[in-house]
């Protein structure tokens, strides 16, 4: 079974790295990430531009997989940021985290530690209980 139910709202570098960090401490944590985006990394709002090589120095290499060779590494670029986020998200899914894309949070009930959601993914709507809620929207 799992030990900790973590709900993360929003996909960005901070939220995905936080999820990896939680799994590093407890690989049995059940992490569910909700986003209104269609795909992690490539949203309608481009992520903040980064210099890829600088950011990679501060992130564990086991948190990301392959980043295409054509991606700019030494100049500031939001495309580099998108590819890094996608790579981090893929590795996170490989580690067992679940992503609910195209999903909107309709209610957060902090007292009962539940969120209600509606989306276009494999689970169209429902309620999820959580032990920890991290909101990065």
């Amino acid at each position: 079974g799992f030990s900790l139910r973590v709900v993360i709202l929003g996909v960005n570098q901070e939220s995905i790295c936080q999820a990896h960090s939680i799994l590093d401490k407890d690989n049995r944590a059940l992490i569910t990430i909700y986003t209104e985006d269609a795909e992690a990394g490539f949203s309608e709002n481009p992520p903040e531009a980064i210099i890829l090589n600088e950011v990679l120095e501060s992130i564990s290499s086991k948190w990301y997989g392959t980043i295409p060779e054509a991606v700019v590494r030494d100049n500031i670029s939001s495309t580099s940021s998108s590819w890094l986020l996608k790579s981090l998200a893929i590795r996170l899914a490989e580690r067992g985290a679940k992503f609910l894309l195209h999903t909107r949070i309709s209610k957060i009930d902090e007292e009962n530690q539940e969120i209600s959601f509606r989306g276009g993914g494999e689970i169209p709507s429902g309620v999820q209980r959580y032990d920890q809620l991290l909101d990065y929207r």
Side-chain angles (χ1 to χ4, degrees):
F2 55 87
S3 57
L4 180 70
R5 295 169 301 190
V6 180
V7 164
I8 297 177
L9 308 181
V11 170
N12 56 41
Q13 190 180 320
E14 193 179 0
S15 69
I16 299 296
C17 286
Q18 181 64 41
H20 277 291
S21 188
I22 290 166
L23 285 173
D24 284 353
K25 291 183 195 107
D26 178 1
N27 65 1
R28 290 178 32 239
L30 179 68
I31 295 179
T32 309
I33 298 162
Y34 294 85
T35 180
E36 293 184 23
D37 294 338
E39 182 181 1
F42 294 89
S43 70
E44 291 175 19
N45 309 315
E48 188 178 334
I50 60 166
I51 297 174
L52 185 58
N53 279 342
E54 287 181 5
V55 174
L56 291 179
E57 289 173 13
S58 66
I59 295 177
S60 168
S61 61
K62 67 181 183 188
W63 288 3
Y64 60 91
T66 310
I67 298 170
E69 286 303 313
V71 173
V72 175
R73 292 170 185 261
D74 294 313
N75 296 324
I76 192 157
S77 161
S78 60
T79 304
S80 298
S81 188
S82 291
W83 276 107
L84 174 60
L85 195 51
K86 184 170 187 65
S87 180
L88 287 164
I90 289 169
R91 182 56 51 88
L92 192 59
E94 290 170 353
R95 295 181 75 187
K98 185 188 301 184
F99 284 82
L100 291 180
L101 305 172
H102 280 300
T103 301
R104 175 167 291 149
I105 303 305
S106 51
K107 182 179 172 200
I108 299 174
D109 180 347
E110 291 183 19
E111 191 176 322
N112 293 311
Q113 291 187 292
E114 293 178 340
I115 62 160
S116 302
F117 62 91
R118 181 167 302 285
E122 61 183 67
I123 305 169
S125 66
V127 174
Q128 182 180 347
R129 298 187 61 85
Y130 62 84
D131 299 306
Q132 188 177 2
L133 174 72
L134 304 169
D135 194 342
Y136 289 93
R137 294 176 295 176

